[in-house]
Short mmCIF file of all heavy atoms in Angstrom, two decimals:
data_model
loop_
_atom_site.label_atom_id
_atom_site.label_comp_id
_atom_site.label_asym_id
_atom_site.label_seq_id
_atom_site.Cartn_x
_atom_site.Cartn_y
_atom_site.Cartn_z
N ILE A 162 0.84 -1.20 0.00
CA ILE A 162 0.00 0.00 0.00
C ILE A 162 0.87 1.25 0.00
O ILE A 162 0.66 2.18 -0.80
CB ILE A 162 -0.96 0.00 1.20
CG1 ILE A 162 -1.96 -1.15 1.07
CG2 ILE A 162 -1.70 1.33 1.30
CD1 ILE A 162 -2.82 -1.36 2.31
N VAL A 163 1.86 1.29 0.89
CA VAL A 163 2.72 2.47 0.99
C VAL A 163 3.47 2.72 -0.32
O VAL A 163 3.50 3.85 -0.83
CB VAL A 163 3.73 2.31 2.14
CG1 VAL A 163 4.81 3.40 2.08
CG2 VAL A 163 3.01 2.39 3.48
N PHE A 164 4.05 1.68 -0.88
CA PHE A 164 4.83 1.85 -2.11
C PHE A 164 3.92 2.21 -3.30
O PHE A 164 4.30 3.00 -4.16
CB PHE A 164 5.63 0.60 -2.42
CG PHE A 164 6.79 0.37 -1.48
CD1 PHE A 164 7.23 -0.91 -1.18
CD2 PHE A 164 7.44 1.44 -0.88
CE1 PHE A 164 8.30 -1.13 -0.32
CE2 PHE A 164 8.51 1.23 -0.02
CZ PHE A 164 8.94 -0.05 0.27
N CYS A 165 2.72 1.63 -3.36
CA CYS A 165 1.79 1.99 -4.43
C CYS A 165 1.36 3.45 -4.32
O CYS A 165 1.30 4.17 -5.32
CB CYS A 165 0.57 1.07 -4.42
SG CYS A 165 0.84 -0.55 -5.18
N VAL A 166 1.09 3.89 -3.10
CA VAL A 166 0.70 5.29 -2.89
C VAL A 166 1.84 6.22 -3.34
O VAL A 166 1.61 7.24 -4.00
CB VAL A 166 0.33 5.54 -1.42
CG1 VAL A 166 0.26 7.04 -1.12
CG2 VAL A 166 -1.01 4.89 -1.10
N LEU A 167 3.07 5.86 -2.98
CA LEU A 167 4.22 6.67 -3.38
C LEU A 167 4.31 6.78 -4.90
O LEU A 167 4.49 7.88 -5.45
CB LEU A 167 5.50 6.04 -2.83
CG LEU A 167 6.83 6.63 -3.32
CD1 LEU A 167 6.96 8.09 -2.91
CD2 LEU A 167 8.01 5.81 -2.80
N HIS A 168 4.19 5.66 -5.59
CA HIS A 168 4.32 5.68 -7.04
C HIS A 168 3.12 6.31 -7.72
O HIS A 168 3.25 6.91 -8.80
CB HIS A 168 4.58 4.26 -7.56
CG HIS A 168 5.91 3.72 -7.15
ND1 HIS A 168 7.10 4.34 -7.43
CD2 HIS A 168 6.25 2.61 -6.43
CE1 HIS A 168 8.11 3.65 -6.95
NE2 HIS A 168 7.61 2.59 -6.33
N LEU A 169 1.95 6.21 -7.12
CA LEU A 169 0.80 6.94 -7.65
C LEU A 169 1.08 8.44 -7.64
O LEU A 169 0.77 9.15 -8.61
CB LEU A 169 -0.46 6.63 -6.83
CG LEU A 169 -1.10 5.26 -7.05
CD1 LEU A 169 -2.22 5.03 -6.03
CD2 LEU A 169 -1.66 5.12 -8.47
N GLU A 170 1.66 8.92 -6.55
CA GLU A 170 2.00 10.33 -6.48
C GLU A 170 3.05 10.70 -7.53
O GLU A 170 2.98 11.77 -8.15
CB GLU A 170 2.50 10.68 -5.08
CG GLU A 170 1.42 10.62 -4.02
CD GLU A 170 1.93 11.02 -2.64
OE1 GLU A 170 3.15 11.25 -2.50
OE2 GLU A 170 1.09 11.12 -1.72
N ASN A 171 4.02 9.82 -7.74
CA ASN A 171 5.06 10.09 -8.74
C ASN A 171 4.48 10.23 -10.14
O ASN A 171 5.03 10.96 -10.98
CB ASN A 171 6.11 8.97 -8.72
CG ASN A 171 6.99 9.00 -7.48
OD1 ASN A 171 7.08 10.03 -6.81
ND2 ASN A 171 7.62 7.88 -7.16
N TYR A 172 3.39 9.49 -10.39
CA TYR A 172 2.74 9.56 -11.70
C TYR A 172 1.58 10.55 -11.72
O TYR A 172 0.78 10.56 -12.66
CB TYR A 172 2.26 8.17 -12.13
CG TYR A 172 3.35 7.33 -12.74
CD1 TYR A 172 4.14 6.49 -11.96
CD2 TYR A 172 3.62 7.38 -14.11
CE1 TYR A 172 5.14 5.71 -12.51
CE2 TYR A 172 4.62 6.62 -14.68
CZ TYR A 172 5.38 5.78 -13.88
OH TYR A 172 6.39 5.03 -14.44
N LYS A 173 1.50 11.38 -10.69
CA LYS A 173 0.49 12.45 -10.61
C LYS A 173 -0.94 11.92 -10.55
O LYS A 173 -1.88 12.59 -11.00
CB LYS A 173 0.63 13.42 -11.80
CG LYS A 173 2.03 13.91 -12.05
CD LYS A 173 2.60 14.64 -10.84
CE LYS A 173 4.01 15.14 -11.13
NZ LYS A 173 4.66 15.74 -9.94
N PHE A 174 -1.11 10.74 -9.97
CA PHE A 174 -2.45 10.22 -9.72
C PHE A 174 -2.92 10.68 -8.35
O PHE A 174 -2.12 10.90 -7.44
CB PHE A 174 -2.46 8.69 -9.74
CG PHE A 174 -2.32 8.07 -11.10
CD1 PHE A 174 -1.16 7.37 -11.44
CD2 PHE A 174 -3.34 8.16 -12.03
CE1 PHE A 174 -1.03 6.78 -12.68
CE2 PHE A 174 -3.21 7.57 -13.29
CZ PHE A 174 -2.05 6.89 -13.61
N ILE A 175 -4.21 10.77 -8.18
CA ILE A 175 -4.82 10.99 -6.87
C ILE A 175 -5.32 9.64 -6.38
O ILE A 175 -6.05 8.94 -7.09
CB ILE A 175 -5.99 11.98 -6.95
CG1 ILE A 175 -5.48 13.36 -7.37
CG2 ILE A 175 -6.71 12.07 -5.61
CD1 ILE A 175 -6.59 14.37 -7.59
N ARG A 176 -4.94 9.25 -5.19
CA ARG A 176 -5.39 7.97 -4.65
C ARG A 176 -6.76 8.11 -4.02
O ARG A 176 -7.09 9.14 -3.43
CB ARG A 176 -4.40 7.42 -3.63
CG ARG A 176 -4.30 8.23 -2.35
CD ARG A 176 -3.21 7.65 -1.45
NE ARG A 176 -3.09 8.35 -0.19
CZ ARG A 176 -2.43 9.47 0.00
NH1 ARG A 176 -1.83 10.05 -1.03
NH2 ARG A 176 -2.36 10.03 1.19
N SER A 177 -7.56 7.09 -4.15
CA SER A 177 -8.89 7.04 -3.55
C SER A 177 -8.97 5.79 -2.69
O SER A 177 -9.24 4.70 -3.19
CB SER A 177 -9.97 7.02 -4.63
OG SER A 177 -11.27 6.96 -4.05
N PRO A 178 -8.71 5.90 -1.36
CA PRO A 178 -8.72 4.73 -0.49
C PRO A 178 -10.10 4.09 -0.40
O PRO A 178 -11.11 4.78 -0.22
CB PRO A 178 -8.28 5.29 0.87
CG PRO A 178 -7.65 6.60 0.57
CD PRO A 178 -8.36 7.12 -0.63
N ILE A 179 -10.14 2.77 -0.52
CA ILE A 179 -11.40 2.01 -0.48
C ILE A 179 -11.34 1.05 0.69
O ILE A 179 -10.34 0.34 0.88
CB ILE A 179 -11.61 1.24 -1.80
CG1 ILE A 179 -11.69 2.22 -2.98
CG2 ILE A 179 -12.86 0.37 -1.72
CD1 ILE A 179 -11.64 1.54 -4.33
N THR A 180 -12.39 1.01 1.48
CA THR A 180 -12.42 0.14 2.65
C THR A 180 -13.58 -0.85 2.58
O THR A 180 -14.49 -0.71 1.78
CB THR A 180 -12.57 0.97 3.94
OG1 THR A 180 -13.81 1.69 3.91
CG2 THR A 180 -11.43 1.96 4.09
N TYR A 181 -13.51 -1.83 3.42
CA TYR A 181 -14.61 -2.77 3.62
C TYR A 181 -14.49 -3.29 5.05
O TYR A 181 -13.46 -3.08 5.71
CB TYR A 181 -14.55 -3.93 2.61
CG TYR A 181 -13.31 -4.78 2.74
CD1 TYR A 181 -13.29 -5.92 3.54
CD2 TYR A 181 -12.14 -4.42 2.09
CE1 TYR A 181 -12.14 -6.67 3.68
CE2 TYR A 181 -10.98 -5.16 2.23
CZ TYR A 181 -10.99 -6.29 3.03
OH TYR A 181 -9.85 -7.02 3.18
N LYS A 182 -15.49 -3.96 5.53
CA LYS A 182 -15.47 -4.45 6.90
C LYS A 182 -14.55 -5.66 7.00
O LYS A 182 -14.79 -6.68 6.38
CB LYS A 182 -16.88 -4.82 7.37
CG LYS A 182 -16.95 -5.21 8.84
CD LYS A 182 -18.39 -5.48 9.27
CE LYS A 182 -18.45 -5.85 10.76
NZ LYS A 182 -19.84 -6.11 11.20
N VAL A 183 -13.50 -5.53 7.82
CA VAL A 183 -12.54 -6.61 8.00
C VAL A 183 -12.79 -7.29 9.33
O VAL A 183 -12.88 -6.63 10.38
CB VAL A 183 -11.09 -6.06 7.97
CG1 VAL A 183 -10.09 -7.18 8.15
CG2 VAL A 183 -10.83 -5.32 6.67
N SER A 184 -12.91 -8.61 9.31
CA SER A 184 -13.14 -9.34 10.55
C SER A 184 -11.84 -9.53 11.32
O SER A 184 -10.77 -9.66 10.73
CB SER A 184 -13.76 -10.71 10.24
OG SER A 184 -12.89 -11.50 9.45
N ASN A 185 -11.94 -9.51 12.65
CA ASN A 185 -10.80 -9.77 13.54
C ASN A 185 -9.61 -8.86 13.25
O ASN A 185 -8.45 -9.29 13.27
CB ASN A 185 -10.35 -11.23 13.42
CG ASN A 185 -11.46 -12.22 13.74
OD1 ASN A 185 -12.21 -12.03 14.69
ND2 ASN A 185 -11.59 -13.26 12.93
N LEU A 186 -9.90 -7.58 13.00
CA LEU A 186 -8.83 -6.63 12.71
C LEU A 186 -8.32 -6.01 14.02
O LEU A 186 -9.07 -5.33 14.72
CB LEU A 186 -9.32 -5.52 11.78
CG LEU A 186 -8.28 -4.51 11.32
CD1 LEU A 186 -7.25 -5.20 10.44
CD2 LEU A 186 -8.94 -3.35 10.57
N PRO A 187 -7.06 -6.26 14.39
CA PRO A 187 -6.51 -5.68 15.61
C PRO A 187 -6.58 -4.15 15.58
O PRO A 187 -6.37 -3.55 14.50
CB PRO A 187 -5.06 -6.18 15.62
CG PRO A 187 -5.07 -7.38 14.75
CD PRO A 187 -6.09 -7.11 13.69
N PRO A 188 -6.84 -3.51 16.70
CA PRO A 188 -6.95 -2.04 16.74
C PRO A 188 -5.73 -1.33 16.20
O PRO A 188 -5.85 -0.30 15.53
CB PRO A 188 -7.16 -1.75 18.23
CG PRO A 188 -7.74 -3.00 18.79
CD PRO A 188 -7.13 -4.12 18.02
N GLU A 189 -4.54 -1.89 16.47
CA GLU A 189 -3.32 -1.22 16.01
C GLU A 189 -3.21 -1.27 14.48
O GLU A 189 -2.68 -0.35 13.86
CB GLU A 189 -2.08 -1.85 16.64
CG GLU A 189 -1.83 -3.32 16.33
CD GLU A 189 -2.53 -4.26 17.30
OE1 GLU A 189 -3.47 -3.82 18.00
OE2 GLU A 189 -2.14 -5.44 17.36
N ILE A 190 -3.74 -2.34 13.88
CA ILE A 190 -3.72 -2.42 12.41
C ILE A 190 -4.74 -1.44 11.82
O ILE A 190 -4.48 -0.79 10.81
CB ILE A 190 -4.03 -3.85 11.94
CG1 ILE A 190 -2.97 -4.82 12.46
CG2 ILE A 190 -4.09 -3.91 10.42
CD1 ILE A 190 -1.57 -4.53 11.96
N ALA A 191 -5.89 -1.33 12.46
CA ALA A 191 -6.90 -0.36 12.01
C ALA A 191 -6.34 1.06 12.05
O ALA A 191 -6.55 1.86 11.14
CB ALA A 191 -8.15 -0.46 12.87
N ALA A 192 -5.60 1.37 13.13
CA ALA A 192 -5.00 2.69 13.26
C ALA A 192 -3.96 2.92 12.16
O ALA A 192 -3.87 4.01 11.58
CB ALA A 192 -4.36 2.83 14.63
N LEU A 193 -3.18 1.88 11.86
CA LEU A 193 -2.18 1.98 10.80
C LEU A 193 -2.84 2.25 9.46
O LEU A 193 -2.37 3.09 8.68
CB LEU A 193 -1.36 0.69 10.73
CG LEU A 193 -0.37 0.56 9.56
CD1 LEU A 193 0.68 1.65 9.63
CD2 LEU A 193 0.27 -0.82 9.55
N GLU A 194 -3.94 1.56 9.17
CA GLU A 194 -4.62 1.75 7.89
C GLU A 194 -5.19 3.16 7.77
O GLU A 194 -5.19 3.75 6.68
CB GLU A 194 -5.70 0.69 7.71
CG GLU A 194 -5.11 -0.70 7.48
CD GLU A 194 -6.17 -1.77 7.31
OE1 GLU A 194 -7.36 -1.47 7.49
OE2 GLU A 194 -5.80 -2.92 7.00
N ASN A 195 -5.67 3.71 8.87
CA ASN A 195 -6.15 5.09 8.85
C ASN A 195 -5.01 6.05 8.52
O ASN A 195 -5.17 7.01 7.77
CB ASN A 195 -6.78 5.46 10.20
CG ASN A 195 -8.12 4.81 10.42
OD1 ASN A 195 -8.81 4.47 9.46
ND2 ASN A 195 -8.50 4.61 11.67
N ASP A 196 -3.83 5.78 9.10
CA ASP A 196 -2.67 6.62 8.81
C ASP A 196 -2.25 6.49 7.35
O ASP A 196 -1.85 7.47 6.72
CB ASP A 196 -1.49 6.21 9.70
CG ASP A 196 -1.67 6.65 11.14
OD1 ASP A 196 -2.51 7.54 11.39
OD2 ASP A 196 -0.97 6.10 12.02
N LEU A 197 -2.37 5.28 6.79
CA LEU A 197 -1.98 5.07 5.40
C LEU A 197 -2.92 5.81 4.45
O LEU A 197 -2.49 6.32 3.42
CB LEU A 197 -1.98 3.57 5.08
CG LEU A 197 -0.88 2.72 5.72
CD1 LEU A 197 -1.09 1.25 5.38
CD2 LEU A 197 0.49 3.17 5.28
N SER A 198 -4.20 5.86 4.79
CA SER A 198 -5.16 6.49 3.90
C SER A 198 -4.91 7.99 3.79
O SER A 198 -4.90 8.57 2.71
CB SER A 198 -6.59 6.25 4.41
OG SER A 198 -6.93 4.89 4.32
N ARG A 199 -4.73 8.64 4.93
CA ARG A 199 -4.44 10.07 4.97
C ARG A 199 -5.49 10.94 4.31
O ARG A 199 -5.25 12.11 4.02
CB ARG A 199 -3.08 10.36 4.32
CG ARG A 199 -1.90 9.78 5.05
CD ARG A 199 -1.44 10.67 6.17
NE ARG A 199 -0.38 10.09 6.96
CZ ARG A 199 0.48 10.81 7.66
NH1 ARG A 199 0.40 12.11 7.64
NH2 ARG A 199 1.40 10.22 8.37
N GLN A 200 -6.63 10.38 4.02
CA GLN A 200 -7.73 11.15 3.45
C GLN A 200 -9.01 10.34 3.58
O GLN A 200 -8.99 9.19 4.01
CB GLN A 200 -7.46 11.48 1.98
CG GLN A 200 -7.35 10.29 1.05
CD GLN A 200 -6.86 10.69 -0.33
OE1 GLN A 200 -5.71 11.00 -0.53
NE2 GLN A 200 -7.77 10.70 -1.28
N GLN A 201 -10.12 10.94 3.25
CA GLN A 201 -11.41 10.28 3.42
C GLN A 201 -11.51 9.04 2.53
O GLN A 201 -11.30 9.11 1.32
CB GLN A 201 -12.55 11.25 3.05
CG GLN A 201 -13.95 10.69 3.28
CD GLN A 201 -14.21 10.36 4.74
OE1 GLN A 201 -13.92 11.16 5.62
NE2 GLN A 201 -14.75 9.18 5.01
N ASP A 202 -11.82 7.92 3.17
CA ASP A 202 -11.96 6.70 2.38
C ASP A 202 -13.43 6.45 2.05
O ASP A 202 -14.32 7.09 2.58
CB ASP A 202 -11.35 5.49 3.11
CG ASP A 202 -11.79 5.40 4.56
OD1 ASP A 202 -12.98 5.69 4.84
OD2 ASP A 202 -10.98 5.07 5.43
N VAL A 203 -13.65 5.50 1.14
CA VAL A 203 -15.00 5.19 0.67
C VAL A 203 -15.24 3.70 0.86
O VAL A 203 -14.37 2.88 0.54
CB VAL A 203 -15.16 5.56 -0.83
CG1 VAL A 203 -16.58 5.25 -1.30
CG2 VAL A 203 -14.82 7.03 -1.06
N ASP A 204 -16.40 3.35 1.37
CA ASP A 204 -16.74 1.93 1.52
C ASP A 204 -16.89 1.29 0.14
O ASP A 204 -17.38 1.92 -0.81
CB ASP A 204 -18.05 1.78 2.30
CG ASP A 204 -18.36 0.32 2.60
OD1 ASP A 204 -17.84 -0.20 3.60
OD2 ASP A 204 -19.12 -0.30 1.83
#
């Protein structure tokens, strides 16, 4: 995810984070994914 976001920026793309309900997702991983998105995500 991090490397794809970096290269999307290099190619002047705007990223659109997409989410879905993940079962058994540890809170620390959820927090990490929020940090990775850095913008409003869409279900």
Side-chain angles (χ1 to χ4, degrees):
I162 294 171
V163 169
F164 289 150
C165 280
V166 166
L167 171 63
H168 293 303
L169 285 172
E170 291 182 355
N171 289 340
Y172 278 91
K173 310 301 181 186
F174 287 111
I175 296 175
R176 67 184 182 278
S177 179
I179 299 169
T180 62
Y181 63 92
K182 186 176 180 180
V183 180
S184 62
N185 302 318
L186 184 66
E189 61 272 17
I190 299 298
L193 173 62
E194 290 180 353
N195 287 335
D196 287 342
L197 290 176
S198 293
R199 295 276 175 155
Q200 63 189 73
Q201 184 62 47
D202 48 39
V203 181
D204 186 85

